[in-house]
Amino acid sequence: MTDVRCYAILSLMRGVVDQRLFAGLFGVMLMMGIALTLFGATLPLLIRTFGWSYLESGVVMGAGSVSFFIATFFAGRLASTVGLSRLFRGGFVLAAGGLLLFARWPSMWVNVLVNVLMSLGFGAVEIGANLTMLRIERDGSGRAMNVLHAAFAIGAILGPVSTGALLQTGIPWNLVYRGMAVLFLVLWLVMERLNPSRFDIPRADHATHPRGALLREPVYWLGFLTLCLYVGAELGVSNWVAEYGVQVFRIPERYAVFLVSTFWVGLLAGRFLAPLVLTPARQRGVLLGSAVLFAAAVALTAALGILLPSPLLLVFLVLASGLGAAVIFPTTVSLVGTALARWQGDAVGFATTGGGVGSFVFPFVMSAISEAWGIRIGFAFYSLSAFLLLGALGLLIAAAAHRTGRGAA
């Protein structure tokens, strides 16, 4: 087994044009995972310290989500014009500036503005990392992209844990944001030295390949739809599974929280196992098979709550859901970026915007359904979403294959 893992790592590194830049991108995504969980980790302190209501907290959070997916759209369009180094530079400056100022004053509206600017920076950095990875991965299989996004998942797990550990030392809680600002400035200096602009996307020739032609490409729209459904379903399962375990399976709250970790363990394992199975020839089969596993596991999780509330089976299905979800986002980004290489920045930016829309819209839908008909029906909604994702992904794979067959046409 060790030999197999070593072979996978060596194969992965040989498939990357610049290993130092890959390591830098891994660090960027790790810090992104930590930074994007800070709000949730400090939310109780924000509410108690500043006297915010749940509605005011939601306004601040929602403003960041909208800003993030707007940033991904425009960052994708600007990438070939400004270059990857400038894109990272702008993103890091906005993100670090926002982290320096967030939670410094109690005003909700000041913090909305700061969160908007900070999230614009996060969106630019996210697109910069994805596009750079597409440029340095030789075969476009998505193996290195999956490992890159595993770094984000590690950060999402470490973020709340490290924040809690720091708060235990007695430091003022909002200094956590200032510390992250310093780390983002350090990352900016590292990325400046690594110079990702060596792999800039060629400026699109809009006379030969106008953006209007991109709008007629099914891959463009299906990439958006796929990631919208995926992020909505993925965040839905991970955000609601603990409450589902408490309400439906009568799991004590102190144990139910580990269901979230179980999902992320499955997702992490899947992303680190991806180099073993992903090749250009297998990419589409692995992607579709993962979506089948995700849809089946989420559907069985919903059915289990109605037919046979078994906590042990729930743990197994949540783990399987995470494993099935693992490769979908990063491999879809690779598929879209490779299929629409002439408009790579626009295509990847728009697809990632779909994920941002899903992360914003789905929580409201789930909350409304659960409030009206109960959390069992709410989880059935996520089951339906997972099967719609499977259908969208099937159409995307077919459209990408057709596009590849057409070549440069």
Side-chain angles (χ1 to χ4, degrees), residues 112-359:
V112 163
L113 176 61
V114 172
N115 200 24
V116 164
L117 294 175
M118 181 167 59
S119 299
L120 286 173
F122 289 149
V125 171
E126 164 93 5
I127 292 299
N130 284 332
L131 290 175
T132 306
M133 191 70 257
L134 279 169
R135 303 295 295 174
I136 67 173
E137 187 171 27
R138 295 179 194 276
D139 60 9
S141 64
R143 289 184 296 174
M145 184 73 82
N146 272 275
V147 174
L148 183 67
H149 281 263
F152 184 93
I154 294 170
I157 295 170
L158 289 178
V161 174
S162 56
T163 299
L166 285 171
L167 294 178
Q168 288 294 323
T169 67
I171 67 169
W173 61 271
N174 55 6
L175 283 184
V176 175
Y177 288 94
R178 316 302 168 244
M180 281 303 301
V182 173
L183 290 175
F184 265 70
L185 290 173
V186 170
L187 280 173
W188 170 26
L189 295 176
V190 170
M191 292 305 291
E192 287 284 338
R193 186 168 181 81
L194 292 173
N195 188 22
S197 278
R198 290 175 292 136
F199 303 99
D200 272 349
I201 303 167
R203 290 187 179 230
D205 183 352
H206 294 303
T208 308
H209 303 284
R211 281 199 171 111
L214 176 61
L215 300 180
R216 295 192 291 273
E217 290 287 347
V219 173
Y220 182 69
W221 299 102
L222 288 168
F224 177 96
L225 178 61
T226 296
L227 292 189
C228 178
L229 291 168
Y230 166 74
V231 173
E234 178 221 75
L235 289 180
V237 172
S238 64
N239 286 344
W240 284 89
V241 70
E243 179 67 10
Y244 187 57
V246 170
Q247 293 294 332
V248 177
F249 293 79
R250 304 303 176 193
I251 300 172
E253 291 178 356
R254 63 183 180 276
Y255 298 123
V257 295
F258 291 106
L259 289 169
V260 180
S261 299
T262 301
F263 178 85
W264 283 100
V265 165
L267 189 141
L268 263 179
R271 286 184 179 169
F272 277 121
L273 288 170
L276 293 172
V277 294
L278 272 172
T279 64
R282 294 178 183 169
Q283 183 193 57
R284 291 161 186 169
V286 170
L287 188 53
L288 196 58
S290 295
V292 169
L293 175 59
F294 181 60
V298 175
L300 288 171
T301 300
L304 196 67
I306 298 170
L307 303 173
L308 181 65
S310 165
L312 185 60
L313 284 175
L314 177 64
V315 171
F316 173 77
L317 288 172
V318 170
L319 184 67
S321 298
L323 193 62
V327 306
I328 295 174
F329 187 100
T331 312
T332 297
V333 169
S334 290
L335 183 67
V336 170
T338 303
L340 299 175
R342 294 188 181 279
W343 303 279
Q344 200 168 69
D346 295 74
V348 170
F350 188 60
T352 308
T353 301
V357 171
S359 72

Side-chain angles (χ1 to χ4, degrees), residues 13-14 25 31 34 39 56 81 86 92 105 108 119 133 174 200 204 218 250-251 315 337 361 383:
M13 298 313 290
R14 282 198 300 267
L25 292 171
M31 288 299 110
I34 294 174
F39 187 91
E56 288 172 319
T81 303
R86 286 198 182 107
F92 281 128
W105 301 282
M108 181 200 74
S119 299
M133 191 70 257
N174 55 6
D200 272 349
R250 304 303 176 193
I251 300 172
V315 171
V361 171
S383 173

